[in-house]
Amino acid sequence: MILGIDHVGLASDDPAGVGVFLAALGMSKTDAGIADAYGVACEFWQYPGQPAVEVVSPVTDDSSVAGRLERSGPGLYHLAFVVDDIDAELGRLRGHGFVPIDARPCAGAKEGMEVAFMYSRRPAALLIELVRYQER
């Protein structure tokens, strides 16, 4: 089951510049990490108690975001939803026309974070991320 919005992802090759922009908006950097499976660095910015803005930037030439930056430049990248069961949501959303990007969930950029991406070309050309946090 989808429990809510976890974060909005922004793609950028200038995370420091985006950080200045988000700080000017009154947001604080709350977490950061590397998602090795995707070759990206991630910074999480937010207002207390609100969904985060995740700044996603490449750390390898073949990172998952490099092609997107080359084609479209920086900007909105994905919407991430917290779920209680990634596998169940992958199956349910597949039935609604979403195409899985990941064959299996992968480790995310935060400790205890498990993620999987899906895409739907129509009606919104939307990349979504399913996020589950393991009990700590």
Side-chain angles (χ1 to χ4, degrees):
M1 171 189 311
I2 293 176
L3 305 174
I5 295 174
D6 186 69
H7 65 268
V8 175
L10 298 178
S12 178
D13 55 6
D14 182 12
V18 176
V20 169
F21 170 79
L22 295 173
L25 293 171
M27 299 181 89
S28 299
K29 185 164 93 171
T30 58
D31 211 340
I34 303 290
D36 290 321
Y38 301 103
V40 297
C42 304
E43 292 182 354
F44 296 88
W45 292 76
Q46 67 190 119
Y47 300 108
Q50 298 293 314
V53 172
E54 176 190 32
V55 181
V56 182
S57 57
V59 294
T60 63
D61 291 338
D62 63 344
S63 79
S64 61
V65 75
R68 193 270 188 216
L69 286 168
E70 186 175 306
R71 281 187 313 276
S72 306
L76 182 62
Y77 183 46
H78 66 268
L79 294 176
F81 299 90
V82 177
V83 300
D84 59 357
D85 185 332
I86 287 184
D87 292 320
E89 284 305 304
L90 284 169
R92 188 182 74 77
L93 292 172
R94 190 178 299 118
H96 286 279
F98 284 84
V99 177
I101 303 297
D102 298 310
R104 301 178 37 211
C106 302
K110 295 180 183 182
E111 183 180 334
M113 182 186 213
E114 181 181 45
V115 302
F117 284 87
M118 300 188 87
Y119 183 75
S120 180
R121 178 173 289 292
R122 296 254 177 224
L126 180 64
L127 180 65
I128 66 165
E129 180 181 16
L130 303 177
V131 178
R132 186 176 78 79
Y133 292 100
Q134 298 175 8
E135 299 295 326
R136 294 185 185 182

